[in-house]
Amino acid sequence: MEILEAVLMKMGFDGSWVERVMECVTTVNYEVLVNGTVSTTFTPERGLRQEDSISPYLFILCAEVLSSLLRREVENNTIHGIRIAPTAPVIFHLLFADDRIFFVKANEMEAGRVKALLYAYEKASGQVVNYDKTIVSFSKGTREVRRNRVAEVLGVRAVGVQEKYLGLPTVVGHSRQVV
């Protein structure tokens, strides 16, 4: 939870407020029923408690760390996002609840940078990427060999244009045909 405290302080929250928030997230203990018997008390070692009403806000603050890491990579030209128009800003990721969509070039170097950033974020935050549920999608011009290499570097499966995410196609194109 050090990442949460560091983010709160970096964003300028008052020290006494940060102390109160940290006390709320670090002093919890749990007991669970195992075959009808109450277990011994234990303290979680990482993560935000999902049932707390403040948790979504704290999650967003922690997620800002990954956004900042990605932004730095874009500024250093080690990751290249996309532009929807020549004068539009670069888009390198989108967020939806606890999901992220990254936009990078389909090459091993950028895939490696994304993987390294995710690993660093996991170590710092205690949040873990579920690579079994993570996919990579490519533009139609990307060769099969490159698709396979990038998916291998990321440790995820590649999906085709027919796949959907949250009910929407994973690839957006000019086709007016309903999929």
Short mmCIF file of all heavy atoms in Angstrom, two decimals, residues 101-150:
data_model
loop_
_atom_site.label_atom_id
_atom_site.label_comp_id
_atom_site.label_asym_id
_atom_site.label_seq_id
_atom_site.Cartn_x
_atom_site.Cartn_y
_atom_site.Cartn_z
N ILE A 101 -7.00 -0.67 -22.27
CA ILE A 101 -6.68 -0.99 -23.66
C ILE A 101 -5.46 -0.15 -24.01
O ILE A 101 -5.48 1.07 -23.88
CB ILE A 101 -7.85 -0.66 -24.60
CG1 ILE A 101 -9.11 -1.45 -24.21
CG2 ILE A 101 -7.46 -0.95 -26.05
CD1 ILE A 101 -10.35 -1.03 -24.97
N PHE A 102 -4.37 -0.83 -24.43
CA PHE A 102 -3.14 -0.15 -24.81
C PHE A 102 -3.07 -0.05 -26.32
O PHE A 102 -3.46 -0.98 -27.03
CB PHE A 102 -1.91 -0.93 -24.31
CG PHE A 102 -1.84 -1.03 -22.82
CD1 PHE A 102 -2.23 -2.18 -22.17
CD2 PHE A 102 -1.36 0.03 -22.07
CE1 PHE A 102 -2.16 -2.28 -20.80
CE2 PHE A 102 -1.29 -0.06 -20.69
CZ PHE A 102 -1.69 -1.22 -20.05
N PHE A 103 -2.53 1.05 -26.80
CA PHE A 103 -2.30 1.25 -28.23
C PHE A 103 -0.81 1.46 -28.44
O PHE A 103 -0.27 2.50 -28.05
CB PHE A 103 -3.08 2.46 -28.75
CG PHE A 103 -4.56 2.34 -28.57
CD1 PHE A 103 -5.20 2.92 -27.48
CD2 PHE A 103 -5.33 1.64 -29.49
CE1 PHE A 103 -6.56 2.81 -27.31
CE2 PHE A 103 -6.69 1.51 -29.32
CZ PHE A 103 -7.32 2.09 -28.23
N VAL A 104 -0.14 0.47 -29.02
CA VAL A 104 1.28 0.56 -29.28
C VAL A 104 1.57 -0.05 -30.65
O VAL A 104 0.72 -0.74 -31.22
CB VAL A 104 2.12 -0.15 -28.20
CG1 VAL A 104 1.91 0.48 -26.84
CG2 VAL A 104 1.82 -1.64 -28.14
N LYS A 105 2.77 0.21 -31.15
CA LYS A 105 3.17 -0.41 -32.40
C LYS A 105 3.34 -1.91 -32.19
O LYS A 105 3.76 -2.36 -31.13
CB LYS A 105 4.49 0.19 -32.90
CG LYS A 105 4.32 1.56 -33.48
CD LYS A 105 5.63 2.04 -34.10
CE LYS A 105 5.42 3.40 -34.73
NZ LYS A 105 6.66 3.91 -35.33
N ALA A 106 3.03 -2.66 -33.22
CA ALA A 106 3.11 -4.13 -33.14
C ALA A 106 4.54 -4.57 -33.42
O ALA A 106 4.87 -5.06 -34.49
CB ALA A 106 2.14 -4.77 -34.14
N ASN A 107 5.40 -4.37 -32.42
CA ASN A 107 6.76 -4.88 -32.53
C ASN A 107 7.22 -5.38 -31.16
O ASN A 107 6.64 -5.04 -30.13
CB ASN A 107 7.72 -3.84 -33.12
CG ASN A 107 7.87 -2.60 -32.26
OD1 ASN A 107 8.08 -2.68 -31.05
ND2 ASN A 107 7.78 -1.44 -32.88
N GLU A 108 8.26 -6.18 -31.18
CA GLU A 108 8.73 -6.81 -29.96
C GLU A 108 9.23 -5.80 -28.93
O GLU A 108 9.06 -5.99 -27.73
CB GLU A 108 9.83 -7.83 -30.28
CG GLU A 108 9.31 -9.02 -31.07
CD GLU A 108 10.41 -9.95 -31.50
OE1 GLU A 108 11.04 -10.56 -30.61
OE2 GLU A 108 10.64 -10.05 -32.72
N MET A 109 9.87 -4.73 -29.39
CA MET A 109 10.40 -3.74 -28.47
C MET A 109 9.28 -3.07 -27.66
O MET A 109 9.36 -2.99 -26.44
CB MET A 109 11.22 -2.67 -29.22
CG MET A 109 12.02 -1.83 -28.25
SD MET A 109 12.06 -0.04 -28.50
CE MET A 109 10.43 0.49 -28.73
N GLU A 110 8.24 -2.62 -28.36
CA GLU A 110 7.16 -1.95 -27.64
C GLU A 110 6.38 -2.93 -26.78
O GLU A 110 5.96 -2.60 -25.67
CB GLU A 110 6.25 -1.19 -28.61
CG GLU A 110 6.99 -0.01 -29.22
CD GLU A 110 6.07 1.09 -29.75
OE1 GLU A 110 4.91 1.20 -29.31
OE2 GLU A 110 6.55 1.85 -30.60
N ALA A 111 6.21 -4.15 -27.26
CA ALA A 111 5.55 -5.17 -26.44
C ALA A 111 6.36 -5.44 -25.18
O ALA A 111 5.82 -5.57 -24.08
CB ALA A 111 5.36 -6.45 -27.24
N GLY A 112 7.69 -5.48 -25.33
CA GLY A 112 8.56 -5.68 -24.18
C GLY A 112 8.48 -4.55 -23.18
O GLY A 112 8.50 -4.76 -21.97
N ARG A 113 8.38 -3.31 -23.68
CA ARG A 113 8.24 -2.15 -22.79
C ARG A 113 6.92 -2.22 -22.02
O ARG A 113 6.89 -1.96 -20.83
CB ARG A 113 8.31 -0.84 -23.59
CG ARG A 113 9.65 -0.50 -24.17
CD ARG A 113 10.79 -0.38 -23.15
NE ARG A 113 10.46 0.47 -22.02
CZ ARG A 113 10.86 0.24 -20.76
NH1 ARG A 113 11.62 -0.79 -20.47
NH2 ARG A 113 10.53 1.06 -19.79
N VAL A 114 5.84 -2.58 -22.72
CA VAL A 114 4.54 -2.71 -22.05
C VAL A 114 4.61 -3.79 -20.98
O VAL A 114 4.17 -3.60 -19.84
CB VAL A 114 3.41 -3.00 -23.06
CG1 VAL A 114 2.12 -3.40 -22.35
CG2 VAL A 114 3.17 -1.79 -23.94
N LYS A 115 5.18 -4.92 -21.32
CA LYS A 115 5.31 -6.02 -20.36
C LYS A 115 6.12 -5.59 -19.14
O LYS A 115 5.76 -5.87 -18.01
CB LYS A 115 5.95 -7.23 -21.05
CG LYS A 115 6.09 -8.45 -20.21
CD LYS A 115 4.80 -9.20 -20.12
CE LYS A 115 5.03 -10.54 -19.42
NZ LYS A 115 3.94 -11.44 -19.59
N ALA A 116 7.23 -4.87 -19.37
CA ALA A 116 8.07 -4.39 -18.27
C ALA A 116 7.31 -3.39 -17.39
O ALA A 116 7.42 -3.44 -16.16
CB ALA A 116 9.34 -3.76 -18.82
N LEU A 117 6.54 -2.51 -18.01
CA LEU A 117 5.76 -1.54 -17.24
C LEU A 117 4.70 -2.25 -16.39
O LEU A 117 4.48 -1.89 -15.23
CB LEU A 117 5.09 -0.53 -18.17
CG LEU A 117 6.02 0.47 -18.84
CD1 LEU A 117 5.24 1.33 -19.82
CD2 LEU A 117 6.71 1.34 -17.81
N LEU A 118 4.04 -3.23 -16.99
CA LEU A 118 3.04 -3.97 -16.23
C LEU A 118 3.67 -4.70 -15.06
O LEU A 118 3.12 -4.72 -13.95
CB LEU A 118 2.30 -4.95 -17.15
CG LEU A 118 1.38 -4.33 -18.18
CD1 LEU A 118 0.84 -5.40 -19.13
CD2 LEU A 118 0.24 -3.56 -17.52
N TYR A 119 4.83 -5.28 -15.26
CA TYR A 119 5.53 -5.97 -14.19
C TYR A 119 5.90 -5.00 -13.08
O TYR A 119 5.69 -5.28 -11.90
CB TYR A 119 6.77 -6.67 -14.74
CG TYR A 119 7.56 -7.39 -13.67
CD1 TYR A 119 7.10 -8.59 -13.14
CD2 TYR A 119 8.76 -6.86 -13.20
CE1 TYR A 119 7.82 -9.24 -12.15
CE2 TYR A 119 9.48 -7.51 -12.21
CZ TYR A 119 9.01 -8.70 -11.68
OH TYR A 119 9.71 -9.33 -10.69
N ALA A 120 6.45 -3.85 -13.45
CA ALA A 120 6.83 -2.84 -12.45
C ALA A 120 5.60 -2.37 -11.68
O ALA A 120 5.65 -2.20 -10.45
CB ALA A 120 7.52 -1.66 -13.13
N TYR A 121 4.50 -2.17 -12.39
CA TYR A 121 3.27 -1.73 -11.73
C TYR A 121 2.74 -2.81 -10.78
O TYR A 121 2.30 -2.51 -9.67
CB TYR A 121 2.21 -1.37 -12.78
CG TYR A 121 0.92 -0.92 -12.17
CD1 TYR A 121 0.83 0.33 -11.56
CD2 TYR A 121 -0.22 -1.72 -12.18
CE1 TYR A 121 -0.36 0.76 -10.97
CE2 TYR A 121 -1.39 -1.30 -11.60
CZ TYR A 121 -1.46 -0.06 -11.00
OH TYR A 121 -2.62 0.35 -10.42
N GLU A 122 2.80 -4.06 -11.20
CA GLU A 122 2.38 -5.16 -10.33
C GLU A 122 3.19 -5.18 -9.05
O GLU A 122 2.63 -5.32 -7.95
CB GLU A 122 2.54 -6.50 -11.05
CG GLU A 122 1.53 -6.78 -12.12
CD GLU A 122 1.78 -8.09 -12.84
OE1 GLU A 122 2.91 -8.63 -12.77
OE2 GLU A 122 0.83 -8.58 -13.46
N LYS A 123 4.51 -5.04 -9.18
CA LYS A 123 5.38 -5.08 -8.00
C LYS A 123 5.09 -3.91 -7.06
O LYS A 123 5.09 -4.07 -5.85
CB LYS A 123 6.85 -5.03 -8.44
CG LYS A 123 7.31 -6.20 -9.25
CD LYS A 123 7.67 -7.39 -8.45
CE LYS A 123 8.98 -7.17 -7.75
NZ LYS A 123 9.39 -8.29 -6.95
N ALA A 124 4.83 -2.73 -7.63
CA ALA A 124 4.61 -1.54 -6.81
C ALA A 124 3.22 -1.52 -6.18
O ALA A 124 3.06 -1.09 -5.04
CB ALA A 124 4.82 -0.29 -7.65
N SER A 125 2.21 -1.97 -6.92
CA SER A 125 0.84 -1.80 -6.46
C SER A 125 0.24 -3.02 -5.79
O SER A 125 -0.74 -2.90 -5.05
CB SER A 125 -0.06 -1.43 -7.65
OG SER A 125 -0.20 -2.55 -8.52
N GLY A 126 0.77 -4.20 -6.07
CA GLY A 126 0.15 -5.42 -5.55
C GLY A 126 -0.99 -5.91 -6.43
O GLY A 126 -1.53 -6.97 -6.21
N GLN A 127 -1.34 -5.14 -7.45
CA GLN A 127 -2.36 -5.57 -8.40
C GLN A 127 -1.68 -6.45 -9.43
O GLN A 127 -0.55 -6.18 -9.82
CB GLN A 127 -3.02 -4.38 -9.07
CG GLN A 127 -3.77 -3.50 -8.11
CD GLN A 127 -4.28 -2.24 -8.79
OE1 GLN A 127 -4.10 -2.02 -9.97
NE2 GLN A 127 -4.94 -1.40 -8.01
N VAL A 128 -2.36 -7.52 -9.85
CA VAL A 128 -1.75 -8.48 -10.74
C VAL A 128 -2.58 -8.59 -12.01
O VAL A 128 -3.80 -8.72 -11.96
CB VAL A 128 -1.63 -9.86 -10.06
CG1 VAL A 128 -1.00 -10.88 -10.99
CG2 VAL A 128 -0.82 -9.75 -8.78
N VAL A 129 -1.91 -8.54 -13.16
CA VAL A 129 -2.57 -8.70 -14.45
C VAL A 129 -2.95 -10.17 -14.61
O VAL A 129 -2.13 -11.06 -14.36
CB VAL A 129 -1.65 -8.27 -15.60
CG1 VAL A 129 -2.29 -8.56 -16.95
CG2 VAL A 129 -1.29 -6.80 -15.48
N ASN A 130 -4.17 -10.43 -15.02
CA ASN A 130 -4.60 -11.79 -15.31
C ASN A 130 -4.32 -12.04 -16.79
O ASN A 130 -5.12 -11.68 -17.65
CB ASN A 130 -6.08 -11.98 -14.99
CG ASN A 130 -6.53 -13.40 -15.20
OD1 ASN A 130 -5.89 -14.19 -15.89
ND2 ASN A 130 -7.67 -13.74 -14.60
N TYR A 131 -3.19 -12.64 -17.08
CA TYR A 131 -2.78 -12.85 -18.46
C TYR A 131 -3.66 -13.87 -19.18
O TYR A 131 -3.69 -13.90 -20.41
CB TYR A 131 -1.30 -13.23 -18.54
CG TYR A 131 -0.41 -12.04 -18.25
CD1 TYR A 131 0.13 -11.85 -16.98
CD2 TYR A 131 -0.15 -11.09 -19.22
CE1 TYR A 131 0.94 -10.75 -16.70
CE2 TYR A 131 0.64 -9.99 -18.95
CZ TYR A 131 1.18 -9.82 -17.69
OH TYR A 131 1.95 -8.72 -17.42
N ASP A 132 -4.38 -14.70 -18.42
CA ASP A 132 -5.32 -15.64 -19.06
C ASP A 132 -6.51 -14.91 -19.66
O ASP A 132 -7.13 -15.39 -20.60
CB ASP A 132 -5.82 -16.68 -18.05
CG ASP A 132 -4.71 -17.63 -17.61
OD1 ASP A 132 -3.77 -17.85 -18.40
OD2 ASP A 132 -4.79 -18.15 -16.48
N LYS A 133 -6.82 -13.74 -19.13
CA LYS A 133 -7.95 -12.96 -19.64
C LYS A 133 -7.50 -11.79 -20.52
O LYS A 133 -8.31 -11.03 -20.99
CB LYS A 133 -8.78 -12.42 -18.48
CG LYS A 133 -9.51 -13.48 -17.69
CD LYS A 133 -10.36 -12.84 -16.62
CE LYS A 133 -11.15 -13.87 -15.85
NZ LYS A 133 -11.96 -13.23 -14.79
N THR A 134 -6.20 -11.66 -20.70
CA THR A 134 -5.66 -10.54 -21.46
C THR A 134 -5.46 -10.98 -22.91
O THR A 134 -5.00 -12.09 -23.18
CB THR A 134 -4.31 -10.10 -20.85
OG1 THR A 134 -4.53 -9.75 -19.48
CG2 THR A 134 -3.74 -8.90 -21.60
N ILE A 135 -5.82 -10.09 -23.84
CA ILE A 135 -5.69 -10.40 -25.27
C ILE A 135 -4.95 -9.28 -25.97
O ILE A 135 -4.83 -8.17 -25.45
CB ILE A 135 -7.08 -10.60 -25.93
CG1 ILE A 135 -7.94 -9.34 -25.79
CG2 ILE A 135 -7.78 -11.83 -25.38
CD1 ILE A 135 -9.22 -9.36 -26.59
N VAL A 136 -4.47 -9.59 -27.16
CA VAL A 136 -3.86 -8.58 -28.01
C VAL A 136 -4.54 -8.67 -29.37
O VAL A 136 -4.82 -9.76 -29.87
CB VAL A 136 -2.32 -8.75 -28.11
CG1 VAL A 136 -1.93 -10.08 -28.70
CG2 VAL A 136 -1.70 -7.61 -28.90
N SER A 137 -4.81 -7.51 -29.94
CA SER A 137 -5.46 -7.42 -31.25
C SER A 137 -4.59 -6.56 -32.15
O SER A 137 -3.92 -5.64 -31.67
CB SER A 137 -6.85 -6.80 -31.07
OG SER A 137 -7.50 -6.69 -32.30
N PHE A 138 -4.60 -6.85 -33.43
CA PHE A 138 -3.72 -6.17 -34.37
C PHE A 138 -4.52 -5.55 -35.50
O PHE A 138 -5.60 -6.02 -35.84
CB PHE A 138 -2.73 -7.17 -34.98
CG PHE A 138 -1.84 -7.81 -33.95
CD1 PHE A 138 -2.20 -9.00 -33.34
CD2 PHE A 138 -0.65 -7.21 -33.58
CE1 PHE A 138 -1.39 -9.59 -32.39
CE2 PHE A 138 0.17 -7.79 -32.63
CZ PHE A 138 -0.20 -8.98 -32.04
N SER A 139 -3.94 -4.52 -36.11
CA SER A 139 -4.55 -3.96 -37.31
C SER A 139 -4.43 -4.98 -38.43
O SER A 139 -3.58 -5.87 -38.39
CB SER A 139 -3.88 -2.64 -37.69
OG SER A 139 -2.51 -2.85 -37.96
N LYS A 140 -5.27 -4.86 -39.43
CA LYS A 140 -5.35 -5.89 -40.47
C LYS A 140 -4.08 -6.03 -41.28
O LYS A 140 -3.83 -7.06 -41.86
CB LYS A 140 -6.55 -5.65 -41.38
CG LYS A 140 -6.47 -4.37 -42.19
CD LYS A 140 -7.71 -4.20 -43.03
CE LYS A 140 -7.66 -2.87 -43.78
NZ LYS A 140 -8.86 -2.68 -44.57
N GLY A 141 -3.22 -5.04 -41.32
CA GLY A 141 -2.00 -5.11 -42.11
C GLY A 141 -0.83 -5.79 -41.40
O GLY A 141 0.25 -5.93 -41.98
N THR A 142 -1.03 -6.21 -40.17
CA THR A 142 0.06 -6.81 -39.40
C THR A 142 0.27 -8.27 -39.82
O THR A 142 -0.68 -9.05 -39.81
CB THR A 142 -0.22 -6.74 -37.89
OG1 THR A 142 -0.54 -5.39 -37.54
CG2 THR A 142 0.98 -7.21 -37.09
N ARG A 143 1.49 -8.62 -40.17
CA ARG A 143 1.79 -9.98 -40.62
C ARG A 143 1.67 -10.97 -39.47
O ARG A 143 1.93 -10.65 -38.32
CB ARG A 143 3.19 -10.04 -41.22
CG ARG A 143 3.29 -9.25 -42.50
CD ARG A 143 4.63 -9.46 -43.15
NE ARG A 143 4.63 -8.79 -44.43
CZ ARG A 143 5.66 -8.20 -44.94
NH1 ARG A 143 6.80 -8.19 -44.30
NH2 ARG A 143 5.58 -7.61 -46.11
N GLU A 144 1.35 -12.20 -39.84
CA GLU A 144 1.14 -13.27 -38.87
C GLU A 144 2.37 -13.52 -38.00
O GLU A 144 2.26 -13.72 -36.79
CB GLU A 144 0.73 -14.56 -39.60
CG GLU A 144 0.27 -15.66 -38.68
CD GLU A 144 -1.07 -15.38 -38.00
OE1 GLU A 144 -1.90 -14.63 -38.55
OE2 GLU A 144 -1.29 -15.91 -36.90
N VAL A 145 3.55 -13.50 -38.60
CA VAL A 145 4.79 -13.74 -37.85
C VAL A 145 4.95 -12.69 -36.76
O VAL A 145 5.28 -13.00 -35.62
CB VAL A 145 6.01 -13.73 -38.80
CG1 VAL A 145 7.31 -13.75 -38.03
CG2 VAL A 145 5.94 -14.90 -39.76
N ARG A 146 4.70 -11.44 -37.12
CA ARG A 146 4.82 -10.35 -36.13
C ARG A 146 3.76 -10.49 -35.05
O ARG A 146 4.03 -10.28 -33.87
CB ARG A 146 4.70 -9.00 -36.83
CG ARG A 146 4.88 -7.85 -35.84
CD ARG A 146 5.02 -6.56 -36.54
NE ARG A 146 6.38 -6.50 -37.07
CZ ARG A 146 6.97 -5.38 -37.40
NH1 ARG A 146 6.35 -4.23 -37.30
NH2 ARG A 146 8.20 -5.39 -37.87
N ARG A 147 2.54 -10.84 -35.42
CA ARG A 147 1.46 -11.05 -34.43
C ARG A 147 1.88 -12.09 -33.40
O ARG A 147 1.72 -11.89 -32.20
CB ARG A 147 0.18 -11.53 -35.12
CG ARG A 147 -0.49 -10.50 -35.98
CD ARG A 147 -1.66 -11.13 -36.72
NE ARG A 147 -2.18 -10.22 -37.71
CZ ARG A 147 -3.45 -9.84 -37.78
NH1 ARG A 147 -4.33 -10.32 -36.94
NH2 ARG A 147 -3.83 -8.99 -38.71
N ASN A 148 2.43 -13.20 -33.90
CA ASN A 148 2.84 -14.28 -33.00
C ASN A 148 3.97 -13.86 -32.07
O ASN A 148 3.95 -14.19 -30.88
CB ASN A 148 3.25 -15.51 -33.81
CG ASN A 148 2.08 -16.13 -34.54
OD1 ASN A 148 0.92 -15.97 -34.16
ND2 ASN A 148 2.36 -16.85 -35.61
N ARG A 149 4.93 -13.12 -32.60
CA ARG A 149 6.05 -12.66 -31.77
C ARG A 149 5.59 -11.70 -30.67
O ARG A 149 6.01 -11.82 -29.52
CB ARG A 149 7.11 -11.98 -32.64
CG ARG A 149 7.95 -12.93 -33.43
CD ARG A 149 9.08 -12.18 -34.08
NE ARG A 149 9.68 -12.99 -35.10
CZ ARG A 149 10.23 -12.51 -36.20
NH1 ARG A 149 10.26 -11.22 -36.42
NH2 ARG A 149 10.77 -13.31 -37.08
N VAL A 150 4.75 -10.75 -31.04
CA VAL A 150 4.27 -9.77 -30.06
C VAL A 150 3.44 -10.47 -28.99
O VAL A 150 3.60 -10.21 -27.79
CB VAL A 150 3.48 -8.64 -30.75
CG1 VAL A 150 2.75 -7.78 -29.73
CG2 VAL A 150 4.42 -7.80 -31.61
#
